[in-house]
Amino acid sequence: MKNELHKATFAGGCFWCMVKPFAEYDGIESIKSGYMGGTVENPTYDQVKTGETGHTEVVEIIFQPAVFPYEKLLELYWQQVDPTDDDGQFQDRGSNYRAMIFYHNDEQKILAEQSKKVLIDSGRFTKPVITPIIPAEIFYIAEEYHQDFYKKNSNEYEADRAQSGRDEFIQDHWK
């Protein structure tokens, strides 16, 4: 089943910063930026960024588990977020930027919960690890200009990321 494809969905703040860390691995077939949760069908970026629709910015990753298992995606995910922050990520504040793991089946739920427990038990963070693990909902793809933003608008991406505080946090907690 080497070519079998699965789906993973993660929220970790601005979706621009959540694509690149996953993009360069064998077994990752595609990554799309979009929105999940919320009450508005087919929301726009302008609607979601108000924080009033209930959506969260997410990345939907299509992957080959035989090549890049879900457990490795989870390891990489935790290293991109502050799992102790329940009101956004880094410079991006509000519920639309919170960190969340959306599971697509029972196996993903179990593996995500196990990985969260390992993280908690590691003592890496002094504050509680509170990232929710919840069922996936309808994925709404973001506007085209958000897709692969780090490639299409590399200067803007690098400037935004540099001022976000994300890289310093990752360096302090994971390197």
Side-chain angles (χ1 to χ4, degrees), residues 44 127 146 153 168:
T44 65
K127 296 190 285 183
H146 290 297
N153 297 286
E168 292 84 355

Side-chain angles (χ1 to χ4, degrees), residues 75-142:
E75 286 177 32
L76 192 53
Y77 169 76
W78 289 120
Q79 295 176 40
Q80 307 310 311
V81 301
D82 177 354
T84 69
D85 188 346
D86 66 352
D87 190 36
Q89 291 289 288
F90 313 106
Q91 74 177 353
D92 298 309
R93 309 312 303 156
S95 62
N96 50 313
Y97 293 115
R98 62 192 179 263
M100 303 174 85
I101 296 173
F102 294 91
Y103 62 85
H104 292 270
N105 56 47
D106 290 339
E107 180 185 13
Q108 284 187 355
K109 178 182 180 185
I110 291 165
L111 292 171
E113 288 172 347
Q114 288 172 347
S115 73
K116 183 177 177 179
K117 183 176 183 339
V118 167
L119 184 61
I120 291 167
D121 292 347
S122 76
R124 186 177 294 273
F125 296 96
T126 56
K127 296 190 285 183
V129 173
I130 49 88
T131 300
I133 299 167
I134 62 171
E137 298 180 33
I138 297 171
F139 173 77
Y140 297 103
I141 193 164

Side-chain angles (χ1 to χ4, degrees), residues 10-156:
F10 300 121
C14 176
F15 47 38
W16 293 352
C17 290
M18 291 298 293
V19 174
K20 187 176 180 181
F22 296 96
E24 304 301 322
Y25 291 95
D26 289 341
I28 305 297
E29 296 298 311
S30 69
I31 305 171
K32 298 291 182 196
S33 297
Y35 317 107
M36 190 167 278
T39 57
V40 176
E41 285 188 35
N42 298 307
T44 65
Y45 178 70
D46 287 336
Q47 290 173 310
V48 172
K49 75 178 182 181
T50 68
E52 296 175 9
T53 67
H55 292 88
T56 304
E57 288 192 14
V58 300
V59 289
E60 180 184 79
I61 302 169
I62 305 300
F63 66 102
Q64 294 178 37
V67 179
F68 202 93
Y70 187 67
E71 294 91 334
K72 286 182 72 174
L73 285 173
L74 290 165
E75 286 177 32
L76 192 53
Y77 169 76
W78 289 120
Q79 295 176 40
Q80 307 310 311
V81 301
D82 177 354
T84 69
D85 188 346
D86 66 352
D87 190 36
Q89 291 289 288
F90 313 106
Q91 74 177 353
D92 298 309
R93 309 312 303 156
S95 62
N96 50 313
Y97 293 115
R98 62 192 179 263
M100 303 174 85
I101 296 173
F102 294 91
Y103 62 85
H104 292 270
N105 56 47
D106 290 339
E107 180 185 13
Q108 284 187 355
K109 178 182 180 185
I110 291 165
L111 292 171
E113 288 172 347
Q114 288 172 347
S115 73
K116 183 177 177 179
K117 183 176 183 339
V118 167
L119 184 61
I120 291 167
D121 292 347
S122 76
R124 186 177 294 273
F125 296 96
T126 56
K127 296 190 285 183
V129 173
I130 49 88
T131 300
I133 299 167
I134 62 171
E137 298 180 33
I138 297 171
F139 173 77
Y140 297 103
I141 193 164
E143 294 82 351
E144 181 57 35
Y145 71 91
H146 290 297
Q147 307 306 321
D148 292 321
F149 191 85
Y150 77 98
K151 289 180 184 177
K152 295 190 282 194
N153 297 286
S154 60
N155 290 340
E156 186 177 349

Side-chain angles (χ1 to χ4, degrees), residues 151-167:
K151 289 180 184 177
K152 295 190 282 194
N153 297 286
S154 60
N155 290 340
E156 186 177 349
Y157 166 78
E158 292 297 336
D160 186 68
R161 186 166 178 120
Q163 74 180 24
S164 75
R166 184 182 296 262
D167 291 331

